[in-house]
Structures are given as structure tokens and as C-alpha cells.
């Protein structure tokens, strides 16, 4: 595996040797990037020459039906969440920026059983100071900020941290130390990327989670990311990681990967086909002193685009599992009716690497029986629309069909999410 990966990297670098180079850190390869409903609004409005602001109003609707796979025990959940987000950017000099993002939201649970879970929240999303070109090629970012990689396979979180960016020619480094407000866990990241040509990114990283809480799980990740275009209209991605460290008294030793490609056909509606496979190792001998289950960082969202204008949960809109003791096959078909709209239909098949009566993390409220590896399958529909500047909308529908790993009387689960956002 390591030898094959090295050959691929060398071939890609050689093929792009004479291409244009530029520095990127977890950036998208195309200008036609999907919109990100989790991103702060842009500061479009100027109050003074140095101070600008922006904002957004959003409404999110979620329907969860039968997440316990038992229609005889109704657990349907309907949630409405309106929110208002405000951002301010102060740039006293060309090299320095102070950024603030505050969001107020109201979570409204629309059923009698769970109505007590309704809550109002005022959250400091981001508050950081950015100092560009401290020395040639070196930037400093300190404070509460968003940490996000391209496919959100590592993280997509607002964390308190200090971050150094250094870039030269087509190489860049991101070094950071960070923590969440409500966790006694410190994250250490070293991320290096190389862009040999316009549509190719080669990256390697080391990520440490130092857990001082009761779980005492301190994984260390070593990984590689590849993405770009093999030929025109044929994009690919590869995530490959090895996790070590300790979980209580056990050693952690796991392997995970995710690879796939999207091909856009030169036809009306720009139809595209996506195929992918993801794998996270399981543990064949749970009683011993070694835990070979792969696990992700716990900060991931597993959210990215195929060929549409909006991102999707690429491990399933409804099931949405963490990649641990799993094999996930994905096939998708997408169209672009207009430049501003897209529709994707995605199929997922799930199986365990080792039979287990646990799933490390997913949206389901039901554990498998541990007698079969076949967890089930899911069909998703994801649609998106964006106007030129102000309006972004997304629709996600997920339908999960349990497999033999669940009791034979287990029923299907259903999920709907609608997001509407207006930026001003």
C-alpha cells in the first residue's frame, strides 16, 4: 500500500512539473466551489475605511423518523432552528485583521415528548487576530477560529487556538495548537501541502489528540491526502490514515482510507457519476491489549461536494457514521439543471469489518446484533440552489434500510433537512 501510494504521488508530481504553482492550505481545486452553509457571512458592508460588517439570517428544518428502527415505538423528532449571524472585520493595517462572528439561534422542538429540549443560544463562533507576513511567508492567527480541511475528514470545528501558516513557492505548512471550550482535550496539528500544478494537491499531516478527561483516549494520526484531476472532468480524492496512541490501558492501532472519483459527462445538464469506497479497520480480538479499530478525530463532519453547488454528507445523510469498523461503498449520479442548481442521488452500502454489537458513532439509536456484518443501505437525495450573492438553500433526504446486522423486524428510517440562508 505504501509503495503504491508513493508511485502515485511521484507520477502526479512528474505529470504536473511544468504547470503553474501556487500555495494552498486545504483549498479547493476549482473556482466552482460548493457553497458552505456553515461558513460565516462575508463582510460586504463598510462602516469606516477600516471596519466592515456582514450578516445572515438562516432557517433550518429537520425531520427524524424512526431512528430506533422500530415503528411500534414512535420517536419522531421535528426541529426548527432560526438563527442570526453577525460578523465584523477590523483591518487597521494591510497586515493585521481582527475578526468577530457572533450567532444567536433558537432551537424549537416541535413535539410534546421532546419540547423541553427547546433552547436559545448565543454563541461566539469566531474571535481572532490575524497577523500577515510577520516575516516573509509567515502568518499568525490566534483566538477562536474555524478549523476545516477540504473534505472535513479531519475536522470542521470552531476551536480556541494559535496557528502558524508558512508558504513558499508551491509548498505550505499549517501548524496549530487548539482546544474546544467544553473539552479537556488539546489538539496538535502539523499539516503540509504541495501543489505541483493547478488541479493537484498532495498533503501529509500528523494530528495528536491529548485527552486529559475521563475517557483517556489519546490517538495520534498520521495521514496523506491527495486530490485533483486525472484528466479533464475526472476528479479524484484519497484519504489515507494510520492511528496509534492509547485508549485507557489499550494500545490503538488502526488503519482507514477513503478514495473515489467523480466524472462529469459532456452532455446537457452536466450529468456526473461518482464512485467511492471508504474503510475503517475493526477489532477482531476485543479482549486483548490492542484496539485495532480505526477512528476519526471526533472533530470531523464528513461533508463535501461531488459535482454540485452544495455539499453533502458523503457517508449518508441519515446514517452519517464515523468511519470505524466499517466498509462503505458509495455510488452517485448528479445533474446541474442550471449553473446555480444541482441535484444528486446517492446510494450507500454499509458493512462491518468485524462483527460487533456496537457502532462507534452514527445517527441511529439502535445497535446491531453482532451476528452479521451487513448493516444495511441508504439512498439519499440532495439538492441545492445559490443565487449570485445572497440566497443559499439546500435540501437533503435520507432513507436507511437496515440489513441482517439488525433484528429481522427492524424498520426503515427516514431523514429530511432543509436549510435556507440569506446573506446581507
Amino acid at each position: 500500500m505504501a509503495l503504491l501510494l508513493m508511485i502515485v504521488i511521484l507520477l502526479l508530481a512528474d505529470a504536473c512539473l511544468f504547470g503553474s504553482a501556487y500555495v494552498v492550505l486545504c483549498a479547493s481545486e476549482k473556482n466552482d466551489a460548493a457553497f458552505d452553509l456553515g461558513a460565516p457571512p462575508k463582510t460586504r458592508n463598510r462602516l469606516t475605511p477600516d471596519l466592515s460588517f456582514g450578516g445572515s439570517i438562516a432557517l433550518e428544518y429537520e425531520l427524524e423518523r424512526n431512528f430506533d428502527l422500530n415503528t411500534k415505538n414512535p420517536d419522531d423528532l421535528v426541529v426548527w432552528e432560526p438563527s442570526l449571524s453577525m460578523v465584523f472585520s477590523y483591518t487597521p493595517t494591510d497586515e493585521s485583521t481582527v475578526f468577530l462572528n457572533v450567532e444567536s439561534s433558537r432551537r424549537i422542538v416541535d413535539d410534546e415528548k421532546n419540547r423541553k429540549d427547546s433552547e436559545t443560544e448565543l454563541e461566539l463562533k469566531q474571535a481572532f487576530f490575524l497577523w500577515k507576513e510577520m516575516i516573509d511567508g509567515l502568518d499568525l492567527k490566534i483566538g477562536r477560529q474555524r478549523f476545516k480541511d477540504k473534505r472535513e475528514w479531519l475536522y470542521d470545528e470552531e476551536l480556541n487556538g494559535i496557528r502558524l501558516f508558512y508558504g513558499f513557492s508551491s509548498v505550505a505548512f499549517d501548524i496549530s495548537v487548539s482546544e474546544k471550550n467544553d473539552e479537556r482535550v488539546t489538539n496538535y496539528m502539523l499539516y503540509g501541502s504541495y501543489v505541483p500544478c493547478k488541479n493537484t494537491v498532495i498533503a501529509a499531516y500528523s494530528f495528536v489528540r491529548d485527552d486529559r478527561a475521563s475517557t483517556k483516549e489519546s490517538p495520534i494520526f498520521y495521514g496523506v491526502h491527495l486530490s485533483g484531476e486525472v484528466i479533464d472532468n475526472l476528479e479524484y480524492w484519497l484519504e489515507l490514515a494510520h492511528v496509534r496512541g492509547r485508549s485507557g490501558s489499550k494500545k490503538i492501532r488502526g488503519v482507514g482510507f477513503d478514495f473515489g472519483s467523480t466524472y462529469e459527462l459532456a452532455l446537457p445538464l452536466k450529468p456526473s457519476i461518482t464512485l467511492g469506497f471508504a474503510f475503517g479497520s475493526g477489532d477482531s480480538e476485543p479482549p486483548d491489549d490492542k484496539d485495532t479499530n480505526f477512528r476519526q478525530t471526533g472533530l470531523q463532519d464528513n461533508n463535501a461536494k461531488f459535482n454540485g453547488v452544495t455539499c453533502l454528507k458523503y457517508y449518508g445523510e441519515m446514517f452519517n457514521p464515523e468511519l470505524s469498523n466499517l466498509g462503505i461503498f458509495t455510488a452517485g449520479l448528479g445533474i446541474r439543471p442550471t449553473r446555480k442548481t444541482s441535484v444528486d442521488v446517492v446510494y450507500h452500502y454499509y458493512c462491518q469489518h468485524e462483527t460487533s454489537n456496537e457502532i462507534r458513532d452514527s445517527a441511529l439509536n439502535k445497535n446491531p446484533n453482532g451476528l452479521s456484518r451487513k448493516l444495511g443501505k441508504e439512498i439519499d437525495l440532495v439538492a441545492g440552489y445559490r443565487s449570485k450573492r445572497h440566497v443559499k438553500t439546500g435540501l437533503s433526504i435520507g432513507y436507511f434500510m437496515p440489513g441482517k446486522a439488525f433484528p429481522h423486524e427492524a424498520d426503515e428510517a427516514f431523514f429530511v433537512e432543509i436549510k435556507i440562508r440569506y446573506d446581507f
Side-chain angles (χ1 to χ4, degrees):
M1 174 70 74
L3 179 59
L4 178 60
L5 182 61
M6 184 60 69
I7 292 172
V8 171
I9 292 173
L10 290 173
L11 288 173
L12 289 170
D14 181 66
C16 299
L17 189 58
F18 299 102
S20 60
Y22 55 91
V23 174
V24 349
L25 276 166
C26 306
S28 61
E29 288 84 359
K30 283 192 170 185
N31 292 327
D32 187 24
F35 63 75
D36 181 3
L37 286 167
K42 294 181 179 180
T43 52
R44 294 190 173 98
N45 310 291
R46 193 168 295 278
L47 293 172
T48 71
D50 300 331
L51 179 62
S52 56
F53 79 97
S56 67
I57 300 172
L59 177 63
E60 182 175 343
Y61 166 84
E62 283 189 9
L63 167 65
E64 300 178 1
R65 178 163 293 171
N66 203 36
F67 275 32
D68 63 357
L69 306 183
N70 183 4
T71 54
K72 296 178 181 178
N73 179 33
D75 66 342
D76 296 358
L77 186 66
V78 176
V79 178
W80 297 86
E81 187 169 343
S83 63
L84 169 65
S85 182
M86 295 295 299
V87 294
F88 299 89
S89 178
Y90 177 59
T91 55
T93 68
D94 292 340
E95 293 78 27
S96 60
T97 301
V98 178
F99 185 84
L100 178 67
N101 178 202
V102 180
E103 182 175 282
S104 175
S105 63
R106 171 67 176 169
R107 186 175 186 270
I108 305 168
V109 181
D110 192 16
D111 67 80
E112 293 296 332
K113 181 180 178 182
N114 298 288
R115 194 177 297 276
K116 63 181 182 297
D117 294 330
S118 298
E119 60 180 356
T120 301
E121 185 176 16
L122 179 63
E123 183 180 2
L124 180 63
K125 301 284 285 186
Q126 298 190 62
F128 63 78
F129 170 71
L130 174 63
W131 185 5
K132 300 177 183 177
E133 298 291 329
M134 292 175 56
I135 60 175
D136 189 26
L138 182 65
D139 298 344
L140 168 68
K141 194 174 185 181
I142 184 169
R144 185 165 179 80
Q145 55 194 281
R146 190 183 189 194
F147 287 74
K148 178 182 182 300
D149 62 291
K150 177 177 172 56
R151 300 186 68 251
E152 300 178 12
W153 204 67
L154 290 174
Y155 46 32
D156 179 22
E157 284 281 352
E158 283 87 17
L159 304 172
N160 305 312
I162 182 169
R163 205 167 180 182
L164 289 171
F165 303 93
Y166 182 67
F168 61 92
S169 182
S170 56
V171 177
F173 294 96
D174 179 357
I175 305 169
S176 65
V177 180
S178 62
E179 289 187 351
K180 284 186 73 171
N181 281 341
D182 55 350
E183 287 187 354
R184 295 181 58 203
V185 181
T186 304
N187 310 301
Y188 303 90
M189 168 68 92
L190 171 60
Y191 194 104
S193 62
Y194 171 53
V195 184
C197 59
K198 182 178 179 181
N199 291 324
T200 299
V201 176
I202 303 170
Y205 59 85
S206 177
F207 184 72
V208 179
R209 295 264 288 167
D210 181 17
D211 189 347
R212 304 179 305 284
S214 57
T215 56
K216 299 295 182 184
E217 182 167 289
S218 298
I220 305 171
F221 299 85
Y222 302 96
V224 173
H225 165 89
L226 294 175
S227 60
E229 284 187 342
V230 180
I231 58 174
D232 287 346
N233 297 326
L234 178 59
E235 296 185 348
Y236 69 91
W237 72 85
L238 170 66
E239 306 283 358
L240 175 62
H242 171 60
V243 59
R244 301 175 66 86
R246 301 198 70 85
S247 177
S249 60
K250 288 191 173 188
K251 299 177 183 177
I252 299 174
R253 300 290 187 271
V255 176
F257 62 83
D258 182 333
F259 69 90
S261 64
T262 297
Y263 181 63
E264 181 186 310
L265 287 76
L267 295 172
L269 301 180
K270 295 184 177 180
S272 61
I273 300 170
T274 298
L275 295 175
F277 180 72
F279 171 83
S281 60
D283 192 352
S284 60
E285 299 179 4
D288 66 12
D289 65 348
K290 188 181 296 185
D291 182 354
T292 57
N293 284 297
F294 181 74
R295 73 284 319 275
Q296 293 183 265
T297 63
L299 303 172
Q300 78 285 340
D301 263 2
N302 295 331
N303 196 52
K305 83 182 187 90
F306 288 165
N307 195 46
V309 301
T310 184
C311 294
L312 51 83
K313 297 173 186 174
Y314 49 77
Y315 293 156
E317 292 292 330
M318 189 266 125
F319 188 30
N320 192 26
E322 179 177 346
L323 187 60
S324 178
N325 189 29
L326 278 179
I328 306 173
F329 170 75
T330 297
L333 176 64
I335 57 172
R336 297 285 295 269
T338 71
R339 188 163 177 257
K340 299 176 182 179
T341 59
S342 64
V343 180
D344 286 282
V345 177
V346 187
Y347 169 85
H348 304 281
Y349 177 78
Y350 308 97
C351 63
Q352 291 184 319
H353 177 218
E354 303 288 348
T355 54
S356 173
N357 59 5
E358 293 181 353
I359 300 173
R360 184 175 175 87
D361 185 28
S362 79
L364 285 180
N365 298 325
K366 180 75 172 180
N367 285 326
N369 54 31
L371 302 177
S372 171
R373 293 189 175 93
K374 299 178 180 179
L375 292 175
K377 50 196 173 182
E378 178 171 330
I379 297 177
D380 296 334
L381 172 67
V382 179
Y385 166 78
R386 63 177 177 194
S387 68
K388 186 175 181 180
R389 289 183 60 182
H390 299 291
V391 179
K392 302 177 179 70
T393 62
L395 166 67
S396 303
I397 300 174
Y399 182 68
F400 178 78
M401 295 157 278
K404 293 182 179 179
F406 295 97
H408 70 275
E409 66 273 11
D411 301 302
E412 294 81 7
F414 184 68
F415 171 77
V416 177
E417 181 181 64
I418 301 172
K419 293 182 179 180
I420 304 172
R421 175 169 143 173
Y422 175 79
D423 291 357
F424 58 88

